[in-house]
């Protein structure tokens, strides 16, 4: 089993942040504990080609989460690493994930 596949499976084996308060979770992020999202061989191959083995685990998890969110039929617009830049070309910060969830009809910011 590849190192990335093992980490991806570990991502889904981790307890949800909302395990004790599911009513606070955006609907698009709720999955049964063992559901996971299968990873096609092509996606795994792409990650193996593009993600450096030295990449921080947090950045790897961002790639896993981006893939997971992109598979959700409840999300209609997904933005990752969205930089906030002023008119003077100063970077104020970055949103990890900004997405629109169509069941609740609202935007979510996920950091």
């Amino acid at each position: 089993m590849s190192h990335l596949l093992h980490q991806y499976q570990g991502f889904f084996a981790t307890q949800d942040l909302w395990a004790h308060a599911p009513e606070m979770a955006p609907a698009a992020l709720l999955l049964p504990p063992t559901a996971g999202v299968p990873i096609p061989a092509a996606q795994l191959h792409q990650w193996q080609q593009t993600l450096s083995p030295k990449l921080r685990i947090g950045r790897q998890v961002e790639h896993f989460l981006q893939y997971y969110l992109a598979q959700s039929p409840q999300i209609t617009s997904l933005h990752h690493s969205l930089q906030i830049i002023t008119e003077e070309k100063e970077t104020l910060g970055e949103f990890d994930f900004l997405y629109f969830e169509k069941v609740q009809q609202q935007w979510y910011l996920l950091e």
Side-chain angles (χ1 to χ4, degrees), residues 8-14 16 28-40 64 67-69 71-72:
Y8 182 78
Q9 291 171 337
F11 167 70
F12 278 103
T14 303
D16 287 339
L29 297 182
L30 291 175
L31 277 179
T34 58
V37 172
I39 186 77
F64 300 158
Y67 176 77
Y68 165 69
L69 291 172
Q71 305 311 305
S72 174

Side-chain angles (χ1 to χ4, degrees), residues 12-83:
F12 278 103
T14 303
Q15 184 179 27
D16 287 339
L17 294 174
W18 301 279
H20 301 291
E23 68 280 359
M24 296 183 68
L29 297 182
L30 291 175
L31 277 179
T34 58
V37 172
I39 186 77
Q43 180 62 50
L44 185 60
H45 180 72
Q46 179 192 5
W47 284 339
Q48 289 170 331
Q49 299 300 312
T50 59
L51 299 181
S52 166
K54 296 179 181 181
L55 188 65
R56 297 184 293 117
I57 189 73
R59 285 292 195 186
Q60 286 183 2
V61 169
E62 283 185 20
H63 287 276
F64 300 158
L65 186 57
Q66 180 181 15
Y67 176 77
Y68 165 69
L69 291 172
Q71 305 311 305
S72 174
Q74 298 165 327
I75 294 176
T76 59
S77 184
L78 173 62
H79 306 277
H80 176 244
S81 297
L82 186 63
Q83 291 191 347

